[in-house]
Amino acid sequence: MPSRSLVPATAALWARVSADAQEVDNQLPDIERLCRHRGLTITRRYLLSDVSASNGAHREMLARMLADAHSGHFNVLVVWAADRLSRGGIEELLRIIRELRERNVALISIKEPWLSGSDATTELLAAIAAWVAEQESKRRSERVKAGLARRRAQRKPIGGAVSKRGKDKRKRRTDGYVAAWQRRKAAE
């Protein structure tokens, strides 16, 4: 009987944070420790700040990760938590899980070990987790909007303390707009 060659276990890491003040580096030690423990060789890293998600960076990185999975660059995707992979609700998370499965890529989550279970169990529990993440995101948005509305009604300034770096960046941006406006006026 011929022996079956084993495919070496290669992993991609996916880490995402939701705010500027957070660091993907907080998630990486746990992910890397799990990879070492399971003997996974890390071949790809997908690191993203949700702050940049509005410009399409999340979708681009997701597409790149799925293309790399399809090309066989890795056969395990390790995430810190499922909501780091998607906050787009139940359908989006299940779509990603199914696409990974179609590419023969296992999904491992540090915080949700049940993601490595049977297909039916994984889909049911992933749907619940996605729903919870979506509700949490909506509640956070509602709290922020309520706080802004209250501050407007009290005629208080909106926004927190801005770091010197943030002030410098804002000033450069404003200076850039003023310079562009002046150039347009001069051309008229």
Side-chain angles (χ1 to χ4, degrees):
M1 180 178 203
S3 67
R4 217 171 120 186
S5 66
L6 296 175
V7 175
T10 55
L13 312 183
W14 180 281
R16 179 181 65 84
V17 294
S18 302
D20 268 337
Q22 297 174 335
E23 298 281 336
V24 293
D25 293 341
N26 296 338
Q27 298 170 19
L28 292 178
D30 290 340
I31 295 172
E32 290 169 344
R33 190 176 310 113
L34 181 131
C35 289
R36 278 192 309 275
H37 179 74
R38 294 196 179 187
L40 300 171
T41 301
I42 300 168
T43 60
R44 295 281 192 275
R45 291 173 182 264
Y46 304 95
L47 311 175
L48 182 69
S49 167
D50 223 20
V51 175
S52 61
S54 61
N55 67 11
H58 180 266
R59 294 217 181 277
E60 287 173 18
M61 187 170 293
L62 187 60
R64 186 170 52 238
M65 182 272 293
L66 291 170
D68 288 349
H70 187 68
S71 298
H73 292 292
F74 57 90
N75 50 25
V76 178
L77 178 67
V78 184
V79 299
W80 193 73
D83 70 344
R84 304 294 82 201
L85 191 56
S86 167
R87 282 272 177 131
I90 296 166
E91 292 84 15
E92 184 176 27
L93 182 60
L94 289 177
R95 179 187 57 78
I96 294 167
I97 290 171
R98 288 177 184 136
E99 285 187 43
L100 288 169
R101 195 177 304 135
E102 288 169 6
R103 290 162 169 84
N104 295 316
V105 173
L107 177 61
I108 297 175
S109 168
I110 303 293
K111 298 297 178 185
E112 296 109 358
W114 46 261
L115 270 177
S116 301
S118 71
D119 291 352
T121 303
T122 296
E123 289 199 15
L124 172 63
L125 294 174
I128 293 168
W131 180 82
V132 169
E134 187 177 23
Q135 295 308 307
E136 178 186 327
S137 182
K138 285 179 183 176
R139 276 190 230 103
R140 184 181 310 120
S141 177
E142 290 167 359
R143 287 191 303 267
V144 167
K145 287 176 184 173
L148 291 173
R150 178 185 53 78
R151 290 192 66 81
R152 267 190 218 97
Q154 295 172 339
R155 298 188 185 278
K156 290 185 176 180
I158 295 175
V162 178
S163 69
K164 178 161 176 20
R165 191 176 119 211
K167 286 179 184 176
D168 291 345
K169 189 185 295 185
R170 189 178 297 151
K171 181 171 178 3
R172 283 194 307 273
R173 189 178 324 131
T174 302
D175 291 347
Y177 292 143
V178 169
W181 179 80
Q182 289 171 339
R183 283 192 300 273
R184 279 195 311 270
K185 285 298 182 187
E188 293 178 353

